[in-house]
Amino acid sequence: LVFLTESGGGSVAAGGSLRLSCTASEDIDWPACMAWFRQAPGKRREAVAAITTGTDLTYFTDSVKGRFTISEDNSANILYLQMDNLKFDDSGVYYCAGGFWGCGETSWSQEGKYGYLGQGTQVTVSS
């Protein structure tokens, strides 16, 4: 079963924008902590951003602060990642993750804390 499905990836020139979406299957409740991870070729998967659902509490890795925005439509169970001023190093496969605990200052970036992970969507930024 696929519980989380990402969409919105694509190819864009540096400086451009993309918005990723993640929808949750009706088989699961909307998780308390939702996040985006990414993995570039040859690199480990890293946390990008997270949100405690139903609140304004958000977390970002330093390299995307001021450029990326994470948000949700919890009436429709959709998670978004607005990515502006994209850079070459933002390229990779972006994954949506969901966990049934409130995101914490240190725990939000720990992949093992999340019970659900989507299959990913490719983002390619050309320099």
Side-chain angles (χ1 to χ4, degrees), residues 68-87:
F68 289 14
T69 304
I70 187 170
S71 62
E72 60 166 338
D73 179 346
N74 57 13
S75 65
N77 286 5
I78 303 175
L79 178 73
Y80 299 104
L81 184 69
Q82 177 66 43
M83 304 185 294
D84 297 319
N85 190 20
L86 281 160
K87 302 178 180 181

Side-chain angles (χ1 to χ4, degrees), residues 33-38 46-52 55-72 79-84 90 94 103-109 114:
C33 180
M34 293 291 291
W36 290 96
F37 286 75
R38 68 185 178 191
E46 64 169 347
V48 176
I51 184 169
T52 297
T55 76
D56 293 329
L57 292 173
T58 57
Y59 308 88
F60 297 92
T61 192
D62 286 346
S63 64
V64 308
K65 286 179 180 177
R67 300 188 298 118
F68 289 14
T69 304
I70 187 170
S71 62
E72 60 166 338
L79 178 73
Y80 299 104
L81 184 69
Q82 177 66 43
M83 304 185 294
D84 297 319
D90 293 320
Y94 281 69
C103 306
E105 283 284 348
T106 55
S107 61
W108 75 270
S109 60
Y114 295 85

